[in-house]
Amino acid sequence: MRASSNEMYTSGEYFKNNPNWGVDDSEWKAGVIQQLLESNRISPSEIIEIGCGAGAILESLSKTFTQTNFKGYDISPQAIELAKTRESDRIRFYNEDFTQVEY
């Protein structure tokens, strides 16, 4: 029987099959996001990524958007363990389901 989509990420199954968590594509993805924001003259004070994985996209964006704070959320403890290595004073990662976070 196949695991639910959430269970695939929380159990470590996805990490076992994707140990770098797609980091190889992160620079390209960050570039697309940067281009969209800049072409629309958007200078965000905060960027939140839901399903941030290893956090490499936010890390890359933080190099361009130097006045922006970043938060990444992921349900996978393995992903957040990788992301935590990228934390800084402006980048924070949370092992939480964003749909359950109260503000």
Side-chain angles (χ1 to χ4, degrees):
M1 182 174 195
R2 187 178 172 121
S4 72
S5 59
N6 281 356
E7 188 178 326
M8 179 174 66
Y9 296 107
T10 58
S11 71
E13 178 185 343
Y14 184 85
F15 179 66
K16 183 176 83 177
N17 295 319
N18 302 280
N20 78 350
W21 214 277
V23 169
D24 299 343
D25 297 325
S26 297
E27 288 289 326
W28 177 81
K29 290 176 182 179
V32 171
I33 295 165
Q34 176 185 342
Q35 184 177 28
L36 286 169
L37 292 172
E38 289 177 347
S39 68
N40 288 287
R41 296 183 180 98
I42 299 172
S43 299
S45 61
E46 182 175 59
I47 293 176
I48 298 174
E49 182 181 13
I50 312 307
C52 66
I57 294 171
L58 293 183
E59 180 184 43
S60 181
L61 288 171
S62 74
K63 295 172 185 171
T64 301
F65 296 98
T66 58
Q67 302 302 310
T68 303
N69 290 311
F70 300 87
K71 291 181 182 175
Y73 290 86
D74 205 296
I75 61 172
S76 169
Q78 297 83 18
I80 293 300
E81 186 176 329
L82 293 171
K84 289 280 188 182
T85 66
R86 294 177 166 83
E87 279 193 332
S88 70
D89 60 328
R90 294 185 302 112
I91 309 171
R92 295 283 180 244
F93 296 101
Y94 303 92
N95 184 203
E96 297 180 47
D97 179 345
F98 184 77
T99 65
Q100 303 301 312
V101 174
E102 292 186 32
Y103 287 96

